[in-house]
Amino acid sequence: MNALSGAFEWLTTGANWQGERGVWHRLAEHLYFSGVCLAASVLIALPLALWLGHIGKGGALAVNISNVGRAIPTLAVLVLLTLSPLGRYGDAPTLIALVLFAVPPLLTNAYLGMREVDKAVVEAARGMGMSGGQLFLRVELPLAYPLIMTGLRSAAVQVVATATLASMAGEGGLGRIITQGFTVQNTPQVIAGAVLVTALALLVELLLVVVGKVCDPMRGRAARAV
Amino acid sequence: MSRQNCLVTNDWVCLEYLDTRSQELIDATVQHVGITAASVAIGLVVSFPLALLARRGRLFAGPVLGVTTALYSVPSLAMFSLLLLVFGLSPATVITSLALYSLTILVRNVMAGLEAVPDEAREAARGLGYGPARMLWEVELPLAIPAILAGVRIATVSTVALTTVGAIVGYGGLGGLIMSGLRSDFKAQVLTASVLCVLLAIAADLLLLLLQRLLTPWTRIRTAPSGGHISPTGVAKVTEPA
């Protein structure tokens, strides 16, 4: 357990938090990669998934993309992109890989959310004279919301994890503290980095659970609806 | 001539690489398959008692599902590093990490499979004098096989992909070749190992699908009552950790 107390010592040493290689800088890199890519993935995947779900087409694509994504090793994609001509453009390989792996959970969950809306409810809404747009905004979207948020949570967790792996392909982010620890054979630093990464991942997950609850369009309505 | 040159010009696709380094590729693939198989096997063995515990009531189900979900959100690089404390630079570090990840999918699918067993089947067994243990072993488990194997397929495919990250502690199967290819800028090695990794995942998936068909011949009889039918596409709506 020497390494554990060493890790604690590493984390409580102020010098390890400052400068180019310090925790604050690595955290900022990590959050920047994750934030930009999650936003880009949402902009790409959600409109597509919601539209496909609304018109009820493209189900095979939306579902299979997750199965295909599962079989592709993140590390392989990161390394392939780094060695490709794109590798010359600094952060480009990481940003592309992050988006590639965040899109499938968003797409699949949002699509399934739209498709699993009760058909009887949709028909009732149409019968009340709702237009396609009204139906989408006031019926389908609120009912699909839980699964859309599940997709967002999976994508966020995925992005944080992939951004960590990017350090193995030579990128920055909190994962760099771990890989650097391996390079210089400093186990306490490896453990300290792992603790930081785990804390960040769990925090992001927790934050999105809370945001999901607060923004729920059906919040406080369920009781009356029964 | 041109085949020799592809090693010198560092092409992505290089047959000469396949010829000269086939032993290296075979060794890495064998390690990859071994790590994946051990991880999923351990995950499956551990998931049964957890699933049985979880179905005893909400008191157990909450913590079991909560902990396995939380494990899933731990990034793989961090998981390997944390288990380094316990197992050091050994295959056990990689296998334990991957087994922990597979639990999330496996526990859910075992639970779903057991839940979907038709009550009539249970009642008939009880009427025939089956005790709880024999009922589980001879009635419930066989009927849960489709859901369990669907979980095993998802877990295996994502484990094949995740094994590559084990390269950080020196046991990543094909991931080791990917990392050493990155360090020496050896494109053919990186691409070949990556493609092999995807092929391995597909082969494992198909093999398990075949196993599922062999183990559950009754699911192909269309006239059978469809009570408790489980879609073979998998029950757990989760994505893989990276």
Side-chain angles (χ1 to χ4, degrees):
Chain A
M1 288 295 104
N2 239 343
L4 208 56
S5 57
F8 184 75
E9 209 171 288
W10 194 96
L11 284 172
T12 47
T13 305
N16 290 330
W17 291 71
Q18 309 299 330
E20 269 286 289
R21 295 177 165 195
V23 173
W24 291 124
H25 181 67
R26 294 300 185 203
L27 179 65
E29 283 176 334
H30 209 110
L31 291 176
Y32 162 71
F33 287 149
S34 308
V36 168
C37 292
L38 191 61
S41 312
V42 167
L43 288 179
I44 295 168
L46 275 195
L48 182 64
L50 295 177
W51 179 66
L52 286 175
H54 181 67
I55 61 169
K57 287 197 176 123
L61 167 85
V63 175
N64 282 329
I65 196 169
S66 272
N67 294 332
V68 173
R70 196 177 291 124
I72 296 174
T74 318
L75 182 64
V77 172
L78 280 164
V79 172
L80 285 171
L81 285 171
T82 305
L83 289 184
S84 77
L86 281 169
R88 268 177 252 137
Y89 301 95
D91 298 337
T94 308
L95 297 173
I96 294 169
L98 257 65
V99 172
L100 279 180
F101 283 96
V103 163
L106 282 167
L107 201 64
T108 305
N109 281 298
Y111 178 82
L112 288 178
M114 291 290 285
R115 292 317 297 159
E116 278 170 20
V117 171
D118 193 343
K119 292 286 166 298
V121 175
V122 173
E123 266 168 42
R126 276 195 205 284
M128 284 169 67
M130 280 196 184
S131 67
Q134 282 175 323
L135 178 72
F136 171 72
L137 278 180
R138 295 171 61 183
V139 178
E140 289 177 320
L141 201 55
L143 289 175
Y145 177 83
L147 265 185
I148 295 175
M149 285 310 286
T150 302
L152 184 65
R153 232 172 33 240
S154 309
V157 167
Q158 182 79 42
V159 159
V160 169
T162 310
T164 313
L165 273 188
S167 66
M168 283 176 85
E171 273 289 350
L174 280 178
R176 197 60 185 265
I177 295 172
I178 300 177
T179 50
Q180 221 158 43
F182 272 106
T183 312
V184 299
Q185 300 191 341
N186 180 351
T187 311
Q189 183 182 335
V190 170
I191 308 297
V195 168
L196 289 170
V197 168
T198 306
L200 178 67
L202 293 177
L203 258 175
V204 166
E205 167 115 49
L206 196 71
L207 183 75
L208 281 171
V209 169
V210 173
V211 168
K213 288 237 164 86
V214 171
C215 300
D216 191 346
M218 305 294 279
R219 190 165 62 131
R221 282 199 215 172
R224 263 181 290 152
V226 171
Chain B
M1 282 289 276
S2 62
R3 287 185 71 196
Q4 300 271 338
N5 280 339
C6 66
L7 280 177
V8 180
T9 52
N10 198 12
D11 291 339
W12 285 104
V13 181
C14 182
L15 291 174
E16 186 62 20
Y17 169 73
L18 286 179
D19 283 348
T20 54
R21 313 283 180 102
S22 60
Q23 194 54 46
E24 213 174 272
L25 282 166
I26 291 167
D27 291 345
T29 308
V30 168
Q31 191 187 60
H32 206 109
V33 172
I35 290 173
T36 304
S39 309
V40 177
I42 293 172
L44 191 58
V45 169
V46 177
S47 68
F48 276 103
L50 287 177
L52 292 178
L53 191 69
R55 75 168 182 164
R56 296 225 141 199
R58 300 197 64 177
L59 189 66
F60 298 111
V64 167
L65 293 178
V67 169
T68 48
T69 308
L71 280 177
Y72 220 57
S73 45
V74 177
S76 53
L77 190 60
M79 182 81 98
F80 289 129
S81 306
L82 287 174
L83 284 173
L84 189 71
L85 262 184
V86 188
F87 300 106
L89 289 171
S90 74
T93 301
V94 181
I95 291 171
T96 312
S97 305
L98 297 175
L100 284 175
Y101 282 133
S102 72
L103 281 183
T104 315
I105 300 160
L106 292 172
V107 169
R108 273 160 213 269
N109 277 51
V110 172
M111 277 176 72
L114 292 176
E115 264 164 34
V117 172
D119 278 334
E120 304 93 77
R122 276 204 196 90
E123 271 164 38
R126 209 171 288 131
L128 286 165
Y130 279 42
R134 195 170 165 213
M135 167 121 72
L136 176 68
W137 193 247
E138 291 182 17
V139 178
E140 291 178 313
L141 274 187
L143 287 173
I145 281 178
I148 294 172
L149 276 178
V152 172
R153 281 175 64 197
I154 297 177
T156 306
V157 169
S158 54
T159 304
V160 169
L162 269 176
T163 299
T164 53
V165 183
I168 192 80
V169 292
Y171 295 92
L174 292 162
L177 292 182
I178 294 176
M179 285 310 290
S180 69
L182 172 71
R183 265 176 251 124
S184 55
D185 191 25
F186 193 171
K187 288 176 178 159
Q189 180 167 315
V190 172
L191 186 64
T192 310
S194 303
V195 169
L196 268 180
C197 207
V198 175
L199 290 180
L200 213 57
I202 296 170
D205 195 43
L206 291 177
L207 214 63
L208 286 166
L209 183 65
L210 190 71
L211 181 74
Q212 182 181 340
R213 298 211 146 205
L214 290 175
L215 283 179
T216 58
W218 65 85
T219 54
R220 271 168 292 153
I221 301 168
R222 285 274 164 120
T223 48
S226 61
H229 176 73
I230 294 153
S231 92
T233 46
V235 186
K237 262 178 210 145
V238 281
T239 43
E240 73 283 14

